[in-house]
Amino acid sequence: MSQTGKKVGTVRLQNLSYAHKQSAVLMAAVELDLFTHVSRGSSRLPELAEALTISKVNAERLLVACCALDLIAKSGDTYENAPDVERFLVKDKPTYIGPWMLFPLMDFEKWRDLGAALKSSDRPKTLGLYETLTDEMAVEYHNATYSVGLGAGMLFARDVDMSNRSLILDLGGGSGAYCIAAVQKYPHLHAVVLDFETVCKVTNRFIAEWGMSDNISTHPGDFTRDQLPQGADLMIMASNLPQYSDGMLIQIMTKAYNSLKSGGEFHLVGETLNDEKTGPLGPALWGVHEALFGSEGRSHSESEVRFYLETAGFSDVSVNEFIPGSLSRITGTKY
Ligand SMILES: C[S@@+](CC[C@H](N)C(=O)[O-])C[C@H]1O[C@@H](n2cnc3c(N)ncnc32)[C@H](O)[C@@H]1O
């Protein structure tokens, strides 16, 4: 019995210990396009086995696990996608995030060595994972971030009034998703995506696909070391937060403050923790991720980010809901 008098069991712990199987089931289902076939009308086991070109017994194994994970619901002998699966995991829908779901395969094996990574006394590398980013990795990485980032960029463009802005600088803009969504909503805007040279090659492809090369350009560089382009009246830094230490974040934000136009706004969209630092789970795990890649980074709480922005000189710093449980948007103004 626990102190609260409730019976204590092992099931929760066992499920956590075997959680890699849950990820593997989800990723296999995405890889095999299970949810797409369900959405297109294959709703029974024999049709699904045929559509996926796997044996009936393997189709049953996969479907049972997907039901247990609440990815799929079963009624009689027919299967139906859960609402989030139907919206985000059906190929050809503009909301499809399959590449982002498969992205963890890149470091799936590495997590086996987390204990050793946590004990490592190697000197941390400021850029962690990015120290060894190749052209090939950048393509795979940003096909994945684009699939999930475009939706986030649209949310940003919905929440932030950019009608009186003229130039965005997106620090670590990756695929360019935030700038693409901003220009789509506000066609008068110009934007610069600053990212590593390997990444900018991928960014240029996405910008060209959207026919936005006149509005959006790339600026190869490293925002920890290089000068930032001057003259932006809106700056974004999205999904980079756990990568860096508090000291480095204050340095980056100070640089951002100095290069921003007076009256401009800085928006940090980050994987923030609550102020007690007890969650949410996603941001907490991104912090752990940094130990695997040997950076100086960790997860930061909303009030810590507020403090970094104020230390850099920003006023009217506010924390705004963005994607609850995943990202918040913390904003400051330069007067
Ligand atoms: C997780 S991705 C997010 C991309 C984009 N902001 C989004 O939300 O879709 C992080 C991006 O930041 C870039 N980045 C991280 N540190 C950087 C640095 N020091 N200088 C330039 N780019 C950096 C990475 O190359 C990568 O493209």
Side-chain angles (χ1 to χ4, degrees), residues 101-314:
M101 294 291 97
L102 297 180
F103 186 59
L105 286 172
M106 215 166 171
D107 55 36
F108 205 69
E109 283 293 315
K110 220 170 154 60
W111 284 86
R112 289 171 53 123
D113 302 324
L114 178 61
L118 290 169
K119 284 181 90 172
S120 164
S121 53
D122 292 351
R123 205 162 151 256
K125 300 164 280 188
T126 305
L127 297 181
L129 159 74
Y130 301 118
E131 300 267 345
T132 51
L133 192 72
T134 61
D135 283 358
E136 204 184 8
M137 277 164 67
V139 170
E140 197 179 329
Y141 186 15
H142 289 298
N143 282 340
T145 66
Y146 174 78
S147 73
V148 72
L150 197 60
M154 285 175 180
L155 207 59
F156 184 88
R158 188 200 67 186
D159 289 356
V160 177
D161 181 5
M162 291 180 266
S163 49
N164 293 322
R165 299 293 172 194
S166 54
L167 180 63
I168 300 176
L169 175 61
D170 188 354
L171 300 178
S175 68
Y178 279 68
C179 294
I180 290 168
V183 170
Q184 199 189 23
K185 174 136 192 217
Y186 298 98
H188 72 278
L189 279 175
H190 283 85
V192 177
V193 175
L194 186 152
D195 213 304
F196 301 114
E197 194 165 2
T198 43
V199 175
C200 285
K201 294 181 207 166
V202 189
T203 320
N204 286 329
R205 172 166 59 78
F206 285 114
I207 296 169
E209 276 172 22
W210 278 84
M212 290 184 176
S213 303
D214 289 343
N215 292 73
I216 310 176
S217 58
T218 52
H219 182 101
D222 170 352
F223 57 64
T224 66
R225 293 187 192 137
D226 301 334
Q227 296 272 29
L228 301 184
Q230 303 289 306
D233 54 4
L234 191 137
M235 250 187 233
I236 303 170
M237 181 167 153
S239 296
N240 271 314
L241 188 62
Q243 166 79 48
Y244 294 107
S245 65
D246 42 1
M248 181 51 79
L249 286 165
I250 292 173
Q251 272 186 47
I252 297 165
M253 289 172 190
T254 304
K255 240 192 234 191
Y257 181 85
N258 290 336
S259 78
L260 195 64
K261 262 181 133 172
S262 291
E265 279 170 12
F266 183 89
H267 295 264
L268 182 128
V269 176
E271 302 83 347
T272 44
L273 296 173
N274 58 37
D275 288 343
E276 296 76 37
K277 296 199 179 182
T278 55
L281 183 60
L285 293 178
W286 282 118
V288 178
H289 184 267
E290 292 308 317
L292 272 191
F293 290 95
S295 82
E296 294 162 328
R298 61 171 174 86
S299 308
H300 304 265
S301 68
E302 288 176 344
S303 61
E304 283 177 321
V305 176
R306 181 191 278 269
F307 170 75
Y308 307 154
L309 281 168
E310 285 169 350
T311 306
F314 288 101

Side-chain angles (χ1 to χ4, degrees), residues 34-35 38 42-46 48 56 59-83 85:
L34 168 66
F35 308 121
V38 170
S42 302
S43 59
R44 291 185 172 79
L45 175 59
L48 283 166
K56 223 167 127 189
E60 183 177 350
R61 287 171 171 144
L62 187 61
L63 283 161
V64 169
C66 285
C67 287
L69 287 168
D70 290 329
L71 295 168
I72 282 190
K74 188 179 182 199
S75 160
D77 63 350
T78 65
Y79 294 96
E80 177 181 26
N81 288 330
V85 168

